[in-house]
C-alpha cells in the first residue's frame, strides 16, 4: 500500500487519460499535461504525483516543442530549457556569452525579446543537434524574415557569437546574411 508524502494518508492509483490527464506541474511549466502515466492521488490532501518513465527524454521532447513553438519563449520556458540541459545559470550564460544575471532576468520575464529569443533558440538548437537530440522537423531558428540591414544591425551579437563559439562548432558555419540562414 502507498502513502502520501505530504500527509501520510493512503493514496489511490490511477492511469491518466485524455479525460483526466496528469497535470505535470513538477516541470515548472503551467501547460504540460500527460496521458497514460501512473498517478497516485491522496484523497485527504488532494496532492498527486506521477511515475514518469524516462523523464530525461520527456524533458528533451518538451525542449524541442518549446523551440518549435511560435512566439517568444517565456521566462518559465527558458528556465525549463536550462534545467533540461542540466546547466546552472552561469553555465547557460557562458554558453550564450552573456552575464549570468541576464539569465536570471530573462527567467523572471514574461517573455524574451525577439533578439534574445533568437539567440537562445539558435544556440540551444545547435547544442541539441550536435547531441543528436534535435527533432528533424525543427530547423535551427535563425529569423529568415528580416532584411540584410536588420540582420546586420540587430543580430550582430548572434553573428559574433557564431564566429567565436567553437565549443558548439558554430565557427565553421557560413552565414547568408540576406536571409538570416546558416548553411
Amino acid at each position: 500500500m502507498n502513502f502520501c508524502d505530504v500527509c501520510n494518508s493512503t493514496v489511490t492509483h490511477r492511469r491518466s487519460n485524455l479525460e483526466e490527464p496528469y497535470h505535470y506541474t513538477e516541470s515548472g511549466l503551467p501547460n504540460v499535461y500527460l496521458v497514460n502515466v501512473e498517478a497516485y492521488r491522496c484523497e485527504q490532501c488532494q496532492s498527486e504525483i506521477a511515475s514518469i518513465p524516462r523523464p530525461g527524454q520527456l524533458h528533451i521532447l518538451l525542449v524541442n516543442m518549446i523551440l518549435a513553438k511560435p512566439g517568444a519563449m517565456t521566462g518559465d520556458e527558458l528556465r525549463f530549457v536550462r534545467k533540461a540541459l542540466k546547466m546552472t545559470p552561469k553555465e547557460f550564460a557562458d554558453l550564450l556569452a552573456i552575464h549570468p544575471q541576464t539569465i536570471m532576468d530573462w527567467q523572471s520575464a514574461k517573455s524574451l525579446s525577439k533578439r534574445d529569443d533568437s539567440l537562445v533558440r539558435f544556440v540551444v538548437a545547435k547544442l541539441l543537434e550536435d547531441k543528436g537530440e534535435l527533432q528533424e522537423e525543427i530547423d535551427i531558428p535563425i529569423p529568415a524574415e528580416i532584411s540584410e540591414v536588420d540582420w546586420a544591425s540587430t543580430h550582430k551579437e548572434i553573428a559574433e557569437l557564431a564566429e567565436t563559439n567553437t565549443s558548439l562548432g558554430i565557427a565553421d558555419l557560413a552565414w547568408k546574411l540576406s536571409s538570416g540562414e546558416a548553411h
Side-chain angles (χ1 to χ4, degrees):
M1 177 145 321
N2 293 322
F3 295 96
C4 176
D5 292 335
V6 177
C7 71
N8 208 29
S9 296
T10 305
V11 295
T12 57
H13 169 266
R14 73 178 182 94
R15 181 168 286 279
S16 64
N17 55 45
L18 287 174
E19 292 78 35
E20 193 179 356
Y22 176 75
H23 189 186
Y24 186 40
T25 58
E26 299 94 320
S27 69
L29 299 171
N31 56 350
V32 178
Y33 293 87
L34 304 178
V35 172
N36 205 26
V37 296
E38 303 293 325
Y40 303 89
R41 179 181 295 150
C42 176
E43 300 304 325
Q44 180 74 23
C45 69
Q46 299 301 308
S47 66
E48 186 173 42
I49 191 158
S51 175
I52 299 172
R54 299 180 305 280
Q57 289 177 341
L58 171 62
H59 290 181
I60 293 301
L61 175 65
L62 291 170
V63 168
N64 276 277
M65 293 174 75
I66 290 168
L67 292 179
K69 81 172 192 120
M73 195 178 298
T74 67
D76 288 341
E77 290 168 337
L78 176 70
R79 181 182 299 106
F80 178 84
V81 167
R82 177 185 60 77
K83 287 181 174 185
L85 296 174
K86 297 180 171 83
M87 296 181 135
T88 66
K90 179 169 180 1
E91 291 167 335
F92 199 59
D94 289 346
L95 181 70
L96 298 172
I98 59 174
H99 193 276
Q101 183 58 48
T102 304
I103 295 296
M104 302 307 288
D105 293 343
W106 288 354
Q107 289 180 167
S108 299
K110 183 176 179 181
S111 66
L112 276 62
S113 71
K114 196 170 195 173
R115 183 194 65 162
D116 298 339
D117 184 74
S118 293
L119 172 65
V120 170
R121 287 176 192 245
F122 174 74
V123 173
V124 169
K126 182 62 178 151
L127 182 65
L128 291 179
E129 181 182 60
D130 290 349
K131 291 177 162 185
E133 295 176 334
L134 185 67
Q135 290 183 354
E136 291 180 25
E137 64 271 7
I138 299 175
D139 293 323
I140 294 179
I142 298 297
E145 72 279 359
I146 54 180
S147 70
E148 182 174 335
V149 174
D150 289 336
W151 177 260
S153 62
T154 63
H155 291 76
K156 182 179 177 187
E157 296 88 357
I158 295 173
E160 288 171 356
L161 176 64
E163 291 171 5
T164 61
N165 195 335
T166 56
S167 68
L168 290 175
I170 298 173
D172 299 331
L173 294 176
W175 291 89
K176 181 180 174 189
L177 295 179
S178 63
S179 68
E181 295 178 2
H183 53 179

